Amino acid sequence: KSARLESARQRARQDLEAERAQAMAPAPGSARLRNRSRESSEAPGERLYRLAQNRQEVLAAKRQQAEEEKLRLEMDQATFRPSIDSSQRACSGIARNRPE
């Protein structure tokens, strides 16, 4: 009788443990499950390194885009006809058409 009782108790414990494990396990397709599987394949710190690399690439791309936009605006505003009249008048003592 005690052997049957002990085996019934053991089965009950196993069932309880299985229920607890199932309740604590992430649902299939959930973000937690995806993160857990990804983390197990990466070395410690690999995720942080990868995130920092991505951040640097994004910042470099934004910096490059800003430089290109600045150059484009500068070229749009360029007239290629310098206005030198005002600069020559500012230099006192030097005539525009000096006889040589």
Side-chain angles (χ1 to χ4, degrees), residues 51-62:
L51 289 175
Q53 286 292 105
N54 289 344
R55 188 177 304 116
Q56 285 179 351
E57 290 172 4
V58 167
L59 288 176
K62 284 182 181 180

Side-chain angles (χ1 to χ4, degrees), residues 7 21 24 41 47-48 54 56 68 73-74 84-85 91:
S7 67
M24 293 177 66
S41 65
R47 179 177 156 271
L48 294 176
N54 289 344
Q56 285 179 351
E68 289 173 359
L73 285 173
E74 192 173 314
I84 60 172
D85 296 336
C91 300

Side-chain angles (χ1 to χ4, degrees), residues 2-100:
S2 71
R4 279 190 278 163
L5 186 60
E6 186 59 37
S7 67
R9 285 181 183 163
Q10 192 174 17
R11 277 191 304 243
R13 276 190 230 122
Q14 289 174 348
D15 290 343
L16 268 173
E17 289 173 8
E19 286 177 13
R20 286 181 187 157
Q22 188 177 11
M24 293 177 66
S30 69
R32 180 182 280 174
L33 181 65
R34 285 192 305 267
N35 289 342
R36 183 180 291 174
S37 64
R38 188 180 324 136
E39 288 172 359
S40 63
S41 65
E42 292 179 343
E46 184 67 29
R47 179 177 156 271
L48 294 176
Y49 178 77
R50 185 174 28 85
L51 289 175
Q53 286 292 105
N54 289 344
R55 188 177 304 116
Q56 285 179 351
E57 290 172 4
V58 167
L59 288 176
K62 284 182 181 180
R63 199 175 300 124
Q64 178 71 25
Q65 187 178 11
E67 288 176 10
E68 289 173 359
E69 180 67 18
K70 181 180 175 182
L71 182 61
R72 187 189 63 77
L73 285 173
E74 192 173 314
M75 293 304 287
D76 286 347
Q77 295 173 356
T79 60
F80 300 106
R81 293 188 197 129
S83 176
I84 60 172
D85 296 336
S86 61
S87 66
Q88 285 183 348
R89 289 185 187 143
C91 300
S92 61
I94 300 175
R96 269 195 248 166
N97 296 325
R98 274 194 332 202
E100 293 187 24

